[in-house]
């Protein structure tokens, strides 16, 4: 990131910021503020980076939701991504929030739009898959987002491992790519997730699934089911993954099984390119 | 229930007992014992009902699991339900636990086998659907269970409403059969649950779904998806529902939409008939 801007990705669980070669990561997402207001967190952790208000701060993510600093209206799809720059919302002196996008009345995103803006410049494509807590599958045409869908895959994995009978009493989880791949095959083949999930509990009780591998097996089934369902709705031959290396790697395995070619783009790199592009458009 | 036996349905969250026209319901399921042992709970709440050890106590449910009083081995399917009587496990003087069933290495049940024994006598059928935290779909032939599958529908609803972003910050939930039916239609039609779930969050944020109706809409989608997936794996024309009136009513609406005829049997009635039948077989 250049020195003349501070980029902030402020989500539900994490706050991350970049300026030049400085980075900051704090567990102060908007759902974990421990009674602080976003403004207080900003004053304490980000404002000290600025020499003056001449340094713009551009923030994206859930910070623009009704549970964040200030609700910033969604831009409705189809929307050209270059329209984002004109719709930044100033919440403090030269501190701006990027608006999220909505598709129809049942799909929303906050944060991914900034990654998408960068991704369309760094790796132009027609379909992006952005794995995460809430995976986004995004259709892009001529630099505009025409629509997208969300899969709650990451959140479901967390819920099942943390709060359900499946995760109850499990030991520390191990890496187990063999179990992950078995899960993938089942998720990709299963007529439905509904009847697959409980089998993780039963197989563990009956001794067929090692207790330390439940997380990997479940991850495989959930990602497989996501890929299967999304491809059933919209057949694709090539997609571009935008996200962390670890998560993109899992999805690449799933797409390989499904016969879909993939390219990969680092999610942070896409995000920072998006911020830079927004900044340039404002100058 | 006759006076000469105490029937106990002891699950994860609840303990219920019957003797004659006395009934007991306590929030002392095996996952909520607050440090007490099952034996201590038994001594405190159930033993006082007995005049002597001549009164048999028959218990079914998770009390027979490794987290219960004593693990009682599952009987493998296919299995004639009359075999249950010979495999009761005595855990104290004339206090017995009914074994659960397993199908293959990935399906287990505890408690439902006793309901099934009663159901096959009160309402003979080839397929029973037992809605609940973990719904069971059971195939029966000639008084024997040939196989079954589990859907985590009830638990998923609880997880999503209690611990996920979908349920986050919701007001008290209202009855809303119209939203439930809309959810049903979507669950029955959707290629996958995966992409349906997040829409409840988005639709609420965007104002299309009243916050007090999220629970009903989600219940409809989950039950619809369960019925769709299970029928896709195994087409059926008639099923017998065994469970509470409230839950069976929801599933009846789903089956009506799917063109499947239903009969209903009260789950408690089936359970008590099962216990009676086990007792008779022992005499």
């Amino acid at each position: 990131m250049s020195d003349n801007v501070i980029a902030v990705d402020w989500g539900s669980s994490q706050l991350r910021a970049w300026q030049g070669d400085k980075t900051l990561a704090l567990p102060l997402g908007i759902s974990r503020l421990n009674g602080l207001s976003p403004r207080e967190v900003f004053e304490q952790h980000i404002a000290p980076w600025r020499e003056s208000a001449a340094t713009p701060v551009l923030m994206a993510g859930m910070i623009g939701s009704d549970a964040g600093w200030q609700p910033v209206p969604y831009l409705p799809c189809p929307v050209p991504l270059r329209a984002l720059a004109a719709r930044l919302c100033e919440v403090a002196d030269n501190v701006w929030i990027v608006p999220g996008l909505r598709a129809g009345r049942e799909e929303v995103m906050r944060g991914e739009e900034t990654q998408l803006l960068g991704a369309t410049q760094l790796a132009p494509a027609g379909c992006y898959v952005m794995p995460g807590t809430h995976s986004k599958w995004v259709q892009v045409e001529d630099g505009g987002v025409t629509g997208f869908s969300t899969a709650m895959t990451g959140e479901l994995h967390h819920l099942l491992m943390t709060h359900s009978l499946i995760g109850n009493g499990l030991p520390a989880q191990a890496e187990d790519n063999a179990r992950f791949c078995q899960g993938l095959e089942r998720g990709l083949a299963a007529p439905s997730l509904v009847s697959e999930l409980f089998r993780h509990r039963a197989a563990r009780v009956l001794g067929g699934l090692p207790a330390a591998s439940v997380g990997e097996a479940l991850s495989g089934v959930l990602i497989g089911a996501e890929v299967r369902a999304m491809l059933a709705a919209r057949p694709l031959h090539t997609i571009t993954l935008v996200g962390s290396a670890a998560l993109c790697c899992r999805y690449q395995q799933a797409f390989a099984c499904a016969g879909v070619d993939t390219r990969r783009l680092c999610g942070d790199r896409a995000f920072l390119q998006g911020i830079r592009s927004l900044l340039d458009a404002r100058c």
Side-chain angles (χ1 to χ4, degrees), chain A:
Chain A
M1 205 67 230
S2 63
D3 283 341
N4 63 347
V5 62
I6 297 172
V8 182
D9 179 5
W10 203 336
S12 295
S13 50
Q14 278 236 321
L15 158 64
R16 296 188 311 146
W18 295 262
Q19 185 185 30
D21 49 11
K22 283 188 297 191
T23 64
L24 177 72
L26 297 169
L28 288 170
I30 62 151
S31 66
R32 303 181 184 177
L33 291 175
N34 302 317
L36 294 172
S37 71
R39 184 186 292 267
E40 287 166 331
V41 172
F42 175 85
E43 291 299 339
Q44 195 175 336
H45 296 284
I46 299 173
W49 282 12
R50 303 169 91 187
E51 285 181 20
S52 75
T55 304
V57 181
L58 268 66
M59 307 192 289
M62 291 294 282
I63 189 65
S65 74
D66 52 6
W69 190 317
Q70 181 177 313
V72 179
Y74 297 100
L75 303 190
C77 291
V79 63
L81 286 162
R82 64 173 184 281
L84 291 170
R87 303 294 290 273
L88 298 180
C89 174
E90 189 170 24
V91 293
D93 190 8
N94 212 8
V95 177
W96 308 81
I97 294 180
V98 185
L101 304 185
R102 70 172 169 87
R105 301 202 59 77
E106 301 197 323
E107 293 288 356
V108 293
M109 66 164 67
R110 287 199 188 272
E112 292 93 348
E113 72 295 325
T114 305
Q115 289 183 310
L116 282 169
L117 178 59
T120 53
Q121 296 167 2
L122 297 172
C127 178
Y128 296 93
V129 175
M130 315 173 87
T133 306
H134 300 137
S135 298
K136 300 292 180 189
W137 291 59
V138 187
Q139 293 85 54
V140 171
E141 259 175 56
D142 300 329
V145 175
T146 53
F148 60 92
S149 305
T150 306
M152 281 184 59
T153 304
E155 185 173 359
L156 268 183
H157 188 268
H158 172 78
L159 288 177
L160 291 166
M161 291 298 288
T162 311
H163 298 290
S164 90
L165 194 61
I166 292 174
N168 190 29
L170 289 184
Q173 295 295 290
E175 280 194 38
D176 187 342
N177 199 53
R179 293 285 173 182
F180 172 73
C181 288
Q182 284 172 20
L184 263 189
E185 278 169 34
R186 296 180 66 150
L188 285 164
S192 154
L193 200 55
V194 173
S195 52
E196 279 299 317
L197 293 178
F198 186 74
R199 295 187 175 157
H200 292 81
R201 158 77 185 170
R204 174 161 67 92
V205 169
L206 297 174
L209 176 61
S213 297
V214 172
E216 289 276 18
L218 188 60
S219 171
V221 164
L222 289 169
I223 291 175
E226 174 186 341
V227 167
R228 179 184 201 274
M230 292 298 202
L231 291 179
R234 194 180 309 100
L236 296 165
H237 299 293
T238 311
I239 62 96
T240 299
L241 284 161
V242 182
S244 72
L247 214 42
C248 284
C249 180
R250 289 180 180 261
Y251 278 74
Q252 274 191 307
Q253 289 181 266
F255 282 112
C257 292
V260 176
D261 288 333
T262 49
R263 287 192 302 166
R264 244 163 78 172
L265 177 62
C266 167
D268 287 351
R269 203 178 142 224
F271 182 78
L272 295 176
Q273 174 64 29
I275 294 288
R276 203 173 290 124
S277 165
L278 289 168
L279 192 71
D280 292 346
R282 289 180 59 245
C283 293

